[in-house]
Amino acid sequence: MNRLVIEGGTPISGEICVQGAKNAVLPILAATVLAESECVIKNCPRLRDVDKTDLVLEGLGCCVRRDGNTVTVNPTGLCGCSISEDLMREMRSSIIFLGAIVSRCSKAVVSMPGGCPIGQRPIDLHLKALRELGVEIVEEHGYIYCTAPEIRGADIHLDFPSVEVTENIMLAAVRGNGTTTIINAAREPEIVDLGKFLNAMGARISGAGGSVIRIDGVEHLHGTEFTIMPDRIVAATYLAASAITGGEMCLKSVRPRDMSAMLKVLRDMGIELKVGNGEIIQRVSGPLRNIHIVRTMPYPGFPTDIQSPFMALASLARGTSVFVETIFENRFQHVDELVRMGADIKVEGRSAVVRGVERLQGANVVARELRGGAALVVAALAAEGITVITGTEYIDRGYENIEKYLLACNAKIAREP
């Protein structure tokens, strides 16, 4: 296991070209099993979750090759319909393979998924939606057995606009018989990216990015070449890292229109932002102001994935900030570690009250999930002294070589065994 050793107090300033989006590339890689020829995925970040997804594809019989940030998947040798229990336990997002495998093979066998321990993420919505598409499902001894001689189009109304459920329906219905309509669909930009990729393969999907998505089933999908969108959560994390240290940051290869809720919060804190075409320039010219209240919501609201890094930022702001977590009930695991570093944070149910302090102190802390780990990195960059962060395997699930990017922006950071 590795650890990150960070000496805080240096302004994080420089230029970063933002990596491809974790939450976009994983469902797109899953979608490659639907193709009848080779797919080339560009701007594919080097992440633990991507590596695990590649292993899932190889376990199904696909040939996977990586050359830099380009991953080529040849699914013509696909011969399996099950995912190993070990891979399912390690990665929650592996559940999105269910719809794709059922569509391609007419059957699938998976175990219950794992992932970051940020709260209950029941798969009942996935199974309910697949049943509405005609999939027969048996749950037995921790495994899910699916059979579907035919995927039938249906009108599916989601009780909650879940991203992964929306993706699973799209992957299952794209080669189905008839038309499927998803009502109250997730609207995240990553859903749009998946829709673009499937359409490039020959699918007929409309409405992605809105609350109603229409999928007209097609008989065949072909391989294609596609470039993954930039990661808006990683982009906002680096903005937080620069802001908390009083630095100046220029983000390249970014899509500001996908980040409006996050950029508004930064502006409310008194941070200067200049937004251009594929670029964000940020500078801090005075003390950080408190955020008042931030409530996590589905897109286009404030993302739950950036709540913890922004909480670290608020810990050094003047005044009191309040964070209300509406998506996951266990997403405050970073709070005790920030308090260990001198932050003043009180949690009551799904709300966290952050009273800004003058300084943070370096400490030995543990990352317990992906975004909470990123929050500890943000705090450590501003803290006095040395911070040692263990649990880096969680950070590596979503951030490509985080120390490399930060070193290029003057951070004093090292990865040690």
Side-chain angles (χ1 to χ4, degrees):
M1 307 300 285
N2 293 325
R3 63 181 189 173
L4 289 174
V5 180
I6 300 173
E7 181 180 351
T10 302
I12 302 304
S13 299
E15 182 177 298
I16 288 178
C17 186
V18 178
Q19 69 182 62
K22 164 188 177 286
N23 292 336
V25 71
L26 299 184
I28 284 173
L29 286 173
T32 61
V33 306
L34 297 168
E36 297 173 3
S37 55
E38 192 173 81
C39 294
V40 179
I41 313 300
K42 297 184 176 180
N43 198 31
C44 185
R46 288 187 173 274
L47 305 172
R48 280 176 60 90
D49 274 12
V50 172
D51 292 341
K52 299 298 182 183
T53 302
D54 290 347
L55 290 176
V56 171
L57 290 167
E58 289 174 345
L60 294 171
C62 301
C63 177
V64 182
R65 305 190 310 274
R66 178 183 276 273
D67 181 12
N69 277 6
T70 298
V71 171
T72 301
V73 181
N74 188 336
T76 56
L78 189 139
C79 57
C81 64
S82 63
I83 301 176
S84 75
E85 183 175 358
D86 288 343
L87 289 173
M88 288 295 296
R89 286 184 179 276
E90 286 192 45
M91 190 173 62
R92 167 70 192 188
S93 57
S94 54
I95 192 65
I96 59 176
F97 271 94
L98 196 55
I101 296 173
V102 167
S103 179
R104 173 72 186 267
C105 304
S106 299
K107 60 181 179 179
V109 180
V110 299
S111 66
M112 293 295 182
C116 284
I118 57 177
Q120 292 184 1
R121 294 188 281 184
I123 64 169
D124 57 337
L125 289 178
H126 293 267
L127 304 186
K128 178 184 176 184
L130 291 175
R131 285 188 173 107
E132 291 186 56
L133 292 171
V135 180
E136 297 177 6
I137 300 173
V138 176
E139 299 176 65
E140 193 172 71
H141 305 302
Y143 281 83
I144 304 167
Y145 299 87
C146 301
T147 56
E150 179 184 62
I151 300 290
R152 300 188 302 269
D155 292 339
I156 302 176
H157 192 294
L158 298 183
D159 297 328
F160 176 81
S162 164
V163 173
E164 288 183 347
V165 175
T166 301
E167 291 166 345
N168 235 338
I169 297 170
M170 293 169 69
L171 293 172
V174 68
R175 293 175 72 248
N177 185 16
T179 298
T180 296
T181 303
I182 310 174
I183 303 161
N184 196 29
R187 300 167 58 189
E188 273 73 2
E190 294 79 9
I191 297 287
V192 178
D193 229 34
L194 176 60
K196 289 179 178 177
F197 177 70
L198 290 170
N199 283 341
M201 294 168 66
R204 296 173 59 194
I205 299 174
S206 59
S211 59
V212 178
I213 298 176
R214 177 187 170 104
I215 307 155
D216 294 314
V218 297
E219 192 171 345
H220 300 285
L221 293 173
H222 53 76
T224 191
E225 185 176 294
F226 191 80
T227 301
I228 301 297
M229 64 177 281
D231 196 311
R232 58 198 175 101
I233 305 301
V234 168
T237 301
Y238 289 134
L239 291 178
S242 180
I244 198 172
T245 60
E248 296 186 14
M249 177 65 67
C250 177
L251 296 182
K252 298 283 190 179
S253 300
V254 68
R255 291 203 321 218
R257 66 179 181 275
D258 296 338
M259 301 174 60
S260 57
M262 296 176 275
L263 298 182
K264 179 183 183 303
V265 169
L266 291 173
R267 287 191 173 103
D268 288 347
M269 297 185 75
I271 297 166
E272 297 178 17
L273 295 170
K274 182 180 178 182
V275 175
N277 184 22
E279 179 181 272
I280 299 174
I281 299 174
Q282 171 187 273
R283 66 186 297 269
V284 179
S285 58
L288 297 173
R289 298 197 294 259
N290 62 315
I291 310 176
H292 300 298
I293 185 167
V294 170
R295 188 182 304 272
T296 63
M297 297 289 287
Y299 189 85
F302 187 85
T304 179
D305 280 355
I306 201 63
Q307 171 257 110
S308 39
F310 273 39
M311 188 181 295
L313 180 61
S315 68
L316 286 180
R318 290 185 173 180
T320 299
S321 304
V322 178
F323 291 80
V324 180
E325 176 57 56
T326 72
I327 309 298
F328 297 121
E329 76 278 5
N330 198 24
R331 201 149 209 181
F332 289 148
Q333 295 183 69
H334 56 285
V335 168
D336 288 345
E337 306 303 300
L338 290 177
V339 169
R340 185 187 295 270
M341 298 176 70
D344 184 354
I345 306 173
K346 299 292 188 296
V347 174
E348 297 181 5
R350 291 202 172 197
S351 298
V353 179
V354 184
R355 294 179 175 86
V357 296
E358 288 189 10
R359 62 184 63 86
L360 296 173
Q361 298 289 337
N364 294 333
V365 293
V366 181
R368 304 188 188 280
E369 47 90 12
L370 167 56
R371 305 305 176 182
L376 299 181
V377 173
V378 170
L381 292 168
E384 296 180 353
I386 303 292
T387 298
V388 178
I389 304 173
T390 54
T392 55
E393 65 273 14
Y394 287 112
I395 299 171
D396 295 339
R397 289 187 57 205
Y399 293 84
E400 179 183 66
N401 297 324
I402 192 169
E403 69 276 13
K404 172 186 172 184
Y405 285 93
L406 290 172
L407 277 169
C409 295
N410 302 321
K412 296 178 180 180
I413 180 174
R415 184 181 292 260
E416 297 180 351

